[in-house]
Amino acid sequence: AVRGITALLHMDNRGDQSSGAVVYNQNEKPIFREYRAFGTPAEVFKMSFPEEYEKILNTLEGRIFIGHNRYTTSGHGDDNVARALQEIQPFHRNHGRAIKRFAFAFNGNIENYLDLKKKLETGKKKYIFDTDVDTEMMMHCLSIYIKLTEENNLKIPLEDMFAKAAADWIGAYSLVYLDATGRFAAVKDPIGFQPLAYGENETLIAVASESFALEKIGIKRKDIKFLENGEILTINKNNNIIVKNYIKNKPIKR
């Protein structure tokens, strides 16, 4: 959590209205722990107040950390506090089955958001939306893609799931995804307007929208790479980074 929060601190140019984090800890209940609030990362995580900061760190103890800084481009901002709190990323979809419980955060814009939202609201299952942000629409879409592959008795490779997403989502985005089985993915859209850097050292694999943030948490500049358009990064059971083009479903070697 310390390194995750530090990375967010060095990406506050990405948004200073709110910040949030979700961590995965397979040995604890709940398996996902969340923390989010209005303000810069330093304000949200109480970095000027050592005792409170330490409590937050204890709350966010876990093996995998995803976080996000937000500046409102849609939704309610500060005019409706209750709803604005729900718009802070990462988003978390709660579900009783581990494969269907996930959290994700994204930067970008889905141009056909309103069309997809209307389809979900008026379709057979009539989805209910609690916010006015495209992130919630994306969350519902991801749950559908999981169900579609599961109904066909297929294992659910993350690259297949995001290939389905890319077929529906028109826009530019990068995102990180985490499910309750411990699977992690970082995804860059096929157009590729949003940067996504990654790297590793002896103890850490990290992804960020700013390469500078990776350097600040111990990744050497020479070890930092960038995902290309339409690529997905996953981590296998041996903690090796796997990069594929999820549109063409081909492995990438760098």
Side-chain angles (χ1 to χ4, degrees), residues 38 70 74-88 91 113 117 129-133 136:
F38 299 119
R70 182 169 190 255
S74 63
H76 285 262
D78 290 329
D79 65 333
N80 184 320
V81 174
R83 292 190 66 174
L85 275 170
Q86 294 183 67
E87 295 168 0
I88 300 174
F91 267 39
Y113 151 63
K117 180 175 183 284
F129 282 75
D130 294 322
T131 73
D132 292 318
V133 293
E136 185 177 8

Side-chain angles (χ1 to χ4, degrees), residues 200-211:
E200 62 181 317
N201 59 25
E202 296 79 7
T203 61
L204 176 68
I205 296 173
V207 177
S209 54
E210 303 274 355
S211 59

Side-chain angles (χ1 to χ4, degrees), residues 15-33:
D16 59 4
Q17 185 191 59
S18 61
S19 190
V22 172
V23 299
Y24 167 79
N25 189 333
Q26 70 272 36
N27 298 319
E28 298 289 339
K29 293 182 181 180
I31 201 164
F32 280 164
R33 296 186 177 187

Side-chain angles (χ1 to χ4, degrees), residues 140-171:
H140 292 320
C141 285
L142 289 172
S143 71
I144 292 170
Y145 305 144
I146 292 171
K147 185 174 179 61
L148 284 173
T149 52
E150 195 175 48
E151 285 178 344
N152 291 327
N153 295 316
L154 297 173
K155 190 178 180 181
I156 310 166
L158 293 176
E159 57 265 31
D160 288 0
M161 187 172 77
F162 283 104
K164 290 181 182 295
D168 288 342
W169 300 344
I170 299 172

Side-chain angles (χ1 to χ4, degrees), residues 197-201 204-208 214 219-220 223-225 233 241:
Y198 68 95
E200 62 181 317
N201 59 25
L204 176 68
I205 296 173
V207 177
L214 297 183
I219 308 293
K220 294 179 180 178
D223 296 325
I224 295 175
K225 302 171 185 176
L233 177 152
I241 292 174

Side-chain angles (χ1 to χ4, degrees), residues 108-151:
N109 182 56
I110 306 299
E111 294 178 15
N112 61 335
Y113 151 63
L114 290 176
D115 291 338
L116 293 172
K117 180 175 183 284
K118 185 175 181 180
K119 286 181 181 179
L120 289 168
E121 288 177 320
T122 60
K124 184 183 292 186
K125 295 192 176 181
K126 297 192 181 332
Y127 281 76
I128 296 172
F129 282 75
D130 294 322
T131 73
D132 292 318
V133 293
D134 46 11
T135 317
E136 185 177 8
M137 176 278 297
M138 297 168 76
M139 179 179 70
H140 292 320
C141 285
L142 289 172
S143 71
I144 292 170
Y145 305 144
I146 292 171
K147 185 174 179 61
L148 284 173
T149 52
E150 195 175 48
E151 285 178 344

Side-chain angles (χ1 to χ4, degrees), residues 159-160 163 229-233 242-254:
E159 57 265 31
D160 288 0
N229 302 5
E231 287 186 352
I232 181 171
L233 177 152
I242 307 296
V243 176
K244 284 186 175 182
N245 183 308
Y246 61 92
I247 305 301
K248 300 177 181 177
N249 200 20
K250 292 182 178 180
I252 307 296
K253 293 183 179 180
R254 291 201 175 97

